[in-house]
Amino acid sequence: MSAARSAVKALPRHLARRSLALHSLASRPLAPLATPSVSSRRWGGSLPDRSSKFTKLTPDHIKAIRELLSSPGSLISTLDNSASPEDLAGFNNDWMGKYFGKSPVVVKPKTPEEIGKVMKYCYDNDIAVVPQGGNTGLVGGSTPIHDELILSTANLSSVRSFDPVSGILVADAGAILETVDHYLAEKGFIFPLDLGAKGSCHIGGNVATNAGGLRLLRYGSLHGSVLGLEAVLPDGTVWDGLSTLRKDNTGFDLKQLFIGSEGTIGIITAVSILCPRRPTAMNVAVFSLPSYEAVQKVYAEAKSHLGEILSAFEFFDKQGFALSSKHIEEIHGSERKIFETEGDFYCLIETGGSNAEHDEAKLSGLLEHLMSNEMVLDGVLAQDQTQFASLWSLRELLPEACGKAGSVYKYDLSVPVGKMYGLVEKMRKRLRDEGLLVGDGQKEGPIRACVGYGHMGDGNLHINIVANKYSEEIEKVIEPYVYEIVAAENGSISAEHGLGVMKAPYVSYSKNQTSIDMMRKIKQLFDPKGLLNPYKYIQ
Amino acid sequence: MSAARSAVKALPRHLARRSLALHSLASRPLAPLATPSVSSRRWGGSLPDRSSKFTKLTPDHIKAIRELLSSPGSLISTLDNSASPEDLAGFNNDWMGKYFGKSPVVVKPKTPEEIGKVMKYCYDNDIAVVPQGGNTGLVGGSTPIHDELILSTANLSSVRSFDPVSGILVADAGAILETVDHYLAEKGFIFPLDLGAKGSCHIGGNVATNAGGLRLLRYGSLHGSVLGLEAVLPDGTVWDGLSTLRKDNTGFDLKQLFIGSEGTIGIITAVSILCPRRPTAMNVAVFSLPSYEAVQKVYAEAKSHLGEILSAFEFFDKQGFALSSKHIEEIHGSERKIFETEGDFYCLIETGGSNAEHDEAKLSGLLEHLMSNEMVLDGVLAQDQTQFASLWSLRELLPEACGKAGSVYKYDLSVPVGKMYGLVEKMRKRLRDEGLLVGDGQKEGPIRACVGYGHMGDGNLHINIVANKYSEEIEKVIEPYVYEIVAAENGSISAEHGLGVMKAPYVSYSKNQTSIDMMRKIKQLFDPKGLLNPYKYIQ
């Protein structure tokens, strides 16, 4: 970007020169890994038994539901041979190859009213339902556990309205995050959320799981930016809570309950959200650092020098960098050395502002300070849009790189910033003590790597444990230990991924009994038959 | 401020010169008007009858409650002669002189546990309770309607903890907003909320009413910044939801239900909140403008030129400016002319950033653009901290100025920005048509002025109708008409003031039946006996 190009003039030569090493790292769209075939892997953990209170679907049910839909093609099922098990695999299974459902039917209604009709039928007939968006979740929240009907929002994907004065967007739940963001970009606005799965995930799913992502530091949580929701309630009522008002104090803020409810009290069908102006000047730099203490110091300096234009501060460790770099090399088919001096840690700093000259001056000030005080080992500043994307890919492709290296146990934790990396070290020690992680984990033991990375500004740490394969033995070493060390720091066992089926049994590590009791009552109030997304979340 | 001083060098002479006119307008702390005596005025509207399901308090109850408290002085009552009716007036009556309760007792526990004990006693004995913070509300939400026990958080006023790395503050609910903000200022942070009543209001009350205020444009709503709450539930349970995590997706976000619940499902006893860094450079300018269209144009220009440093954009009309200026002149005992060319409208622009030089450059760019394109009639830029406060006082003292001029009917509405001032014009026309507003309203009719002002960026309009006195006749002309014209624009009848008793009957103008039904169920779930803040909010 021209912004970065002129800023770099004032930088130490070393930094400017090193940045050129990146020029041929091409930008690449991000997407989840391909869905594995049904036979590839099985989840090691135990799952809740099927509840006998739910009706077992028959061809008659399928026929009746199909008649509720405006287009017969909106339903596919193995029960009437309109689909094979393989056709349903992408809906029954998650992208990590960890969770496998056995639903015989996927319904993709074309309007909220159709979803309402299907839901009412299910309500009247005690049929359990899994709402599904892009199915990009990480905790088994969007796939069936047994034979629940899959209700997909994929056919609700339009932008309903956008007001360029206020920046308020109203869009269908099934709209894909990246598509919506491109739509907004043309109008000079930005969706206040960004995450690795943006090419597949639905904004309805983002809201239902209260997704956090890469720019929460700048734009805050969805609880602050979502203005209204439309949702189908368990009895089939289409609830219109689709306010486009920035302020409205007329009663309980009901939409807040649906944000992060993981499809357990209603199916979100549309979202009204406040979108900020898109920054006209953006910069990104990545540094190698000697220690986690150094990362924390650089974070403090970044906040101080960059103030209101700091839009992201991500970190990852050398294990993550190794996997990510290898993955990128494989994509491009050639070896590249990005940093002259590599470190135990890396951090990515992004700025976004309205005045390129001012932003460059602030960023130059920071870079000079970091280099002259030897707070970083090496640094790379993006020189153009391609390099901007390439630097981001070091961080954004990290989950994909882990997935490529093996079967990944993913943990998403929230603890005070100073305590974050200590959790990775504790976990690594435990894996070594139990003989699972040997040496540097270079394919010698059952665990190949234990990687730590995350969103520094949010106190959100991701631990990815890459195993040769999922196994109950490994899982028992990791869980509940990982939740115990988080609970000891009063942290959260799920910063942003949610509970799903994976963490549902462990919610008491993060929530007290009074809270859990209140949650159960709310679930019972909204969904007395327990039809929506059963076996998960709060049971 | 030095920031503004050097910026002004580049401004047109006229603007620079005019700004000097303000130098002797001294800064003045803001506070609600003094509470009128009980006999001064009576509210014109009809109130709900007392419910016979609530126990009538006796001296025995008072004795029993006093025994629950660590300090006997934490309870005052007319039933055991520990207080006179005058002693209770400041708790029974609101500051506008509009709502008058008849409670015989005020309890001010010193800990959340004491509040829990008192609440449990009330629960066991069917005693209705009004939670009360600073009692600065505008809709009769914090005063009793009949003889409800008043439970004040005034004795819970400490900061519990502050983490300067994350900016996370944990404080008792009874801490006064301005006191907390001063505490944060010393550490380089700012409370993400500011409003006229800051000298009296409690942060617990702010959260319970989801206060919006003057800087929501920059820092967003409390739904985004509050991280956790502690609250006493109707049965006396002390619920610890006082998380200090920025991200936590482990179940329903329960605290969100309490934000804006107006004391109907629990008594907030402590707040955990994310506080941003305090801007190190701040500027404020006020302009006179020819029309509401001009205000909208200037708003668009301000957003474009100032980007991420725009921290407030307020507007008020000439009727408001006249009252405000007169009030300020009376405070200072001398006449002052602020603008050479006065207008039909005024707007106040505030910037807050991390680099004074950059902010000045951005602001100078805007001011030059506005002056050279004749988009404003006149402008004043604050030259130092005193002028900064003086310019703000034109807007901040406006409600107080209205209160001084008569009995004020206050409306707080949310509509799309383009439609905002049309509501004031419609209301003025109706008041004229009904013969209540004559000429310019210069003391000729029962209505002295109909003033419009508000938070431009939030689509939040305040209409203040200044009457000689409250009367049922006037109220019937205004209500429900004012709600009808808001509903016609899909607006909110309460952008930030809440429902209280004033707007409880009108909630259906802003919320559909499905929403109201859900709200009633939530109230019933949390407070099955209906003891907390009865007769108000959602009934």
Side-chain angles (χ1 to χ4, degrees), chain B residues 483-495:
Chain B
Y483 303 127
E484 286 164 2
I485 58 178
V486 171
E489 306 290 359
N490 291 317
S492 171
I493 63 162
S494 184

Side-chain angles (χ1 to χ4, degrees), chain B residues 62-348:
Chain B
I62 299 304
K63 186 162 175 284
I65 295 170
R66 198 187 292 282
E67 282 168 8
L68 301 171
L69 303 166
S70 58
S71 164
S74 299
L75 183 155
I76 54 170
S77 174
T78 51
L79 291 176
D80 66 356
N81 296 319
S82 59
S84 69
E86 289 68 33
D87 293 334
L88 299 189
F91 301 92
N92 262 318
N93 312 331
D94 79 313
W95 66 275
M96 298 180 296
K98 194 171 176 189
Y99 302 100
F100 300 90
K102 294 175 283 293
S103 176
V105 59
V106 176
V107 190
K108 295 194 271 188
K110 296 197 165 173
T111 65
E113 289 69 33
E114 279 189 24
I115 293 189
K117 284 181 194 169
V118 174
M119 197 62 232
K120 182 173 189 320
Y121 181 85
C122 292
Y123 184 81
D124 291 342
N125 291 278
D126 296 323
I127 296 166
V129 172
V130 182
Q132 190 175 89
N135 196 14
T136 61
L138 295 159
V139 290
S142 57
T143 46
I145 302 302
H146 297 288
D147 56 352
E148 302 91 280
L149 176 145
I150 299 169
L151 195 44
S152 166
T153 52
N155 276 338
L156 283 85
S157 58
S158 302
V159 169
R160 295 195 192 174
S161 67
F162 178 70
D163 173 12
V165 175
S166 62
I168 295 168
L169 172 91
V170 179
D172 287 343
I176 288 172
L177 175 56
E178 194 168 52
T179 308
V180 173
D181 193 52
H182 285 168
Y183 170 90
L184 289 167
E186 284 173 16
K187 296 169 189 316
F189 286 79
I190 190 169
F191 201 85
L193 171 77
D194 187 26
L195 67 163
K198 62 188 162 212
S200 313
C201 64
H202 294 186
I203 61 166
N206 295 149
V207 173
T209 57
N210 188 29
L214 300 163
R215 284 169 194 157
L216 186 130
L217 179 66
R218 175 67 174 274
Y219 300 117
S221 97
L222 292 173
H223 286 288
S225 52
V226 171
L227 300 179
L229 293 176
E230 178 190 78
V232 173
L233 304 180
D235 67 359
T237 304
V238 181
W239 170 59
D240 178 5
L242 210 49
S243 167
T244 54
L245 302 171
R246 187 145 179 199
K247 289 162 92 172
D248 176 23
N249 277 353
T250 53
F252 299 112
D253 196 350
L254 296 169
K255 68 172 181 285
Q256 301 290 353
L257 274 182
F258 291 82
I259 300 173
S261 64
E262 302 186 27
T264 60
I265 56 171
I267 302 166
I268 294 173
T269 51
V271 174
S272 162
I273 189 163
L274 184 68
C275 300
R277 294 213 166 206
R278 204 168 194 95
T280 51
M282 295 196 75
N283 295 289
V284 68
V286 177
F287 300 95
S288 61
L289 303 108
S291 65
Y292 185 65
E293 286 64 39
V295 180
Q296 292 179 73
K297 279 183 193 158
V298 171
Y299 176 52
E301 294 295 337
K303 285 202 290 186
S304 164
H305 280 80
L306 303 174
E308 61 278 3
I309 64 163
L310 178 63
S311 58
F313 193 106
E314 300 285 308
F315 87 98
F316 42 98
D317 59 16
K318 68 176 177 186
Q319 290 84 348
F321 178 71
L323 286 171
S324 199
S325 306
K326 184 163 170 276
H327 182 49
I328 292 170
E329 281 176 12
E330 284 171 6
I331 291 168
H332 295 287
S334 62
E335 206 171 309
R336 271 156 236 278
K337 192 166 170 63
I338 300 170
F339 296 95
E340 206 154 80
T341 310
E342 298 190 341
D344 280 356
F345 289 86
Y346 297 83
C347 71
L348 178 150

Side-chain angles (χ1 to χ4, degrees), chain A residues 406-435:
Chain A
S407 294
V408 188
Y409 290 91
K410 289 175 172 286
Y411 300 92
D412 157 46
L413 315 165
S414 209
V415 284
V417 171
K419 308 271 177 88
M420 279 165 83
Y421 204 73
L423 298 186
V424 183
E425 286 161 345
K426 279 183 188 165
M427 181 50 72
R428 228 175 250 146
K429 180 173 185 309
R430 182 168 169 90
L431 294 171
R432 283 190 202 289
D433 289 350
E434 298 288 330

Side-chain angles (χ1 to χ4, degrees), chain A residues 333-516:
Chain A
S334 63
E335 206 171 307
R336 276 155 232 278
K337 192 166 170 65
I338 300 170
F339 297 95
E340 206 153 80
T341 310
E342 299 190 340
D344 281 356
F345 288 87
Y346 297 82
C347 72
L348 179 151
I349 298 175
E350 187 195 70
T351 67
S354 63
N355 185 308
E357 198 184 316
H358 293 167
D359 293 4
E360 286 160 27
K362 289 187 178 92
L363 189 57
S364 296
L366 171 67
L367 298 182
E368 279 168 32
H369 181 78
L370 296 180
M371 301 298 276
S372 61
N373 287 282
E374 297 184 349
M375 298 179 77
V376 294
L377 299 173
D378 198 0
V380 182
L381 177 69
Q383 302 296 298
D384 56 31
Q385 191 59 47
T386 306
Q387 291 188 12
F388 185 93
S390 294
L391 281 184
W392 259 114
S393 73
L394 281 173
R395 165 63 187 84
E396 280 197 306
L397 291 183
L398 219 169
E400 190 172 308
C402 290
K404 211 176 161 197
S407 294
V408 188
Y409 290 91
K410 289 175 172 286
Y411 300 92
D412 157 46
L413 315 165
S414 209
V415 284
V417 171
K419 308 271 177 88
M420 279 165 83
Y421 204 73
L423 298 186
V424 183
E425 286 161 345
K426 279 183 188 165
M427 181 50 72
R428 228 175 250 146
K429 180 173 185 309
R430 182 168 169 90
L431 294 171
R432 283 190 202 289
D433 289 350
E434 298 288 330
L436 296 174
L437 182 67
V438 183
D440 267 350
Q442 302 301 314
K443 297 181 183 169
E444 291 174 41
I447 302 289
R448 298 186 194 167
C450 177
V451 175
Y453 61 97
H455 318 292
M456 194 78 180
D458 317 336
N460 182 182
L461 169 75
H462 295 295
I463 300 183
N464 276 16
I465 299 171
V466 185
N468 286 328
K469 61 175 185 183
Y470 293 124
S471 84
E472 208 152 348
E473 179 209 352
I474 293 176
E475 190 175 301
K476 280 184 177 166
V477 171
I478 304 173
E479 299 175 24
Y481 177 76
V482 64
Y483 303 128
E484 286 165 2
I485 57 178
V486 170
E489 305 291 0
N490 292 316
S492 169
I493 63 161
S494 183
E496 57 181 8
H497 293 173
L499 294 171
V501 67
M502 176 187 177
K503 296 181 185 174
Y506 304 107
V507 66
S508 61
Y509 283 97
S510 282
K511 290 287 156 70
N512 57 37
Q513 198 55 46
T514 306
S515 298
I516 294 170

